[in-house]
Amino acid sequence: MRIMFFVFILMSYGISAQEFSVSTQNLWHYPIDYNRRVESLKDNLRTDLADIASFQEAFVTGLNGEISLLHEFLDYTGYVHRFLKTSEKFHFYEGLAIAGRYPIVSNEVKQYVLPHDSKKRPRRMLLAPFRIAGETIYVFNLHLSPFPKNIHLREDQLKYVVSIIVPYLQARKPVVVMGDFNQDYHSDFFAPLFDLKMKMSLSPNQCT
């Protein structure tokens, strides 16, 4: 069974796409058919490993935390990473993660609580800046509210995201925004980001 999520990557102008590659993926927090999913992940990494990767619903479960696609990724790549736990129950927890082959600027790592966050449905955003070729790239990873009926929640969340990244853009700092927006590609929803001169890094209709 293939699960499709609306995940996107946006970059501020001034970032050269040839300098580094990025990817984002919702790992789907149900550990169903786990072994097959591990092999599929590794097959993809052998041919299409990005320099910086972000993950939503990055889950860890099992008595010793041995079931985790995020840990499989990290073990395979040796990437440095930052993780923001968003929920936990018994031997299971999940969150947002950003990983990369470049050094992370630890004193600038931040986490944010998005509007309409709740204990049942936490909504967060993680910032992990990377140092690349002498420049700091500010990488944001987010997961907005799901379901078509909750468009008003996602709009509020996006407004908040814009308010956070605007100071970085005004200071001419390179910004990458990645995540699961739970929003159709063909939508005016992303206009507030495009109005900031950010550009979509995915090819038309590309969605994973």
Side-chain angles (χ1 to χ4, degrees):
M1 180 171 60
R2 181 171 175 82
I3 305 296
M4 300 296 289
F5 295 94
F6 297 111
V7 293
F8 296 95
I9 305 170
L10 298 104
M11 294 184 176
S12 60
Y13 284 92
I15 296 180
S16 171
Q18 296 179 347
E19 291 181 359
F20 60 92
S21 58
V22 294
S23 68
T24 189
Q25 183 177 4
N26 187 313
L27 294 177
W28 195 47
H29 57 197
Y30 297 98
I32 299 170
D33 202 9
Y34 181 72
N35 290 333
R36 183 192 62 79
R37 292 166 66 190
V38 169
E39 290 307 310
S40 177
L41 173 68
K42 291 181 178 179
D43 285 344
N44 289 335
L45 294 178
R46 292 184 188 104
T47 59
D48 193 20
L49 176 59
D51 297 316
I52 298 174
S54 74
F55 301 98
Q56 306 82 43
E57 297 188 25
F59 65 89
V60 179
T61 189
L63 292 178
N64 299 304
E66 68 274 15
I67 300 175
S68 170
L69 289 176
L70 173 63
H71 289 173
E72 295 284 354
F73 174 89
L74 296 173
D75 290 344
Y76 184 90
T77 62
Y79 280 7
V80 296
H81 79 289
R82 290 295 182 272
F83 179 81
L84 170 59
K85 185 185 295 184
T86 57
S87 64
E88 182 174 13
K89 187 175 182 180
F90 302 115
H91 296 292
F92 176 95
Y93 65 87
E94 68 172 295
L96 299 170
I98 302 175
R101 67 172 73 251
Y102 307 107
I104 292 176
V105 185
S106 297
N107 64 344
E108 292 195 70
V109 173
K110 296 180 181 179
Q111 53 184 270
Y112 304 88
V113 178
L114 301 181
H116 309 293
D117 172 84
S118 67
K119 185 175 182 178
K120 183 178 180 181
R121 293 192 179 278
R123 293 297 149 200
R124 309 293 168 83
M125 180 168 66
L126 175 64
L127 163 62
F130 289 86
R131 195 69 179 167
I132 305 176
E135 185 173 26
T136 301
I137 309 296
Y138 294 84
V139 179
F140 292 84
N141 180 23
L142 54 81
H143 192 181
L144 303 188
S145 293
F147 310 125
K149 67 179 183 180
N150 289 329
I151 177 63
H152 62 291
L153 304 184
R154 292 191 293 280
E155 289 174 341
D156 288 346
Q157 290 161 354
L158 186 62
K159 288 178 183 178
Y160 176 80
V161 171
V162 167
S163 74
I164 294 299
I165 66 174
V166 160
Y168 290 90
L169 298 176
Q170 290 176 336
R172 304 186 67 81
K173 296 179 178 180
V175 170
V176 178
V177 180
M178 300 193 281
D180 187 343
F181 288 79
N182 275 303
Q183 188 63 44
D184 193 278
Y185 183 92
H186 298 288
S187 169
D188 293 332
F189 176 82
F190 299 96
L193 292 170
F194 295 142
D195 289 344
L196 297 176
K197 307 299 183 184
M198 299 196 75
K199 59 182 179 180
M200 189 79 72
S201 72
L202 298 180
S203 301
N205 298 317
Q206 186 176 354
C207 175
T208 58

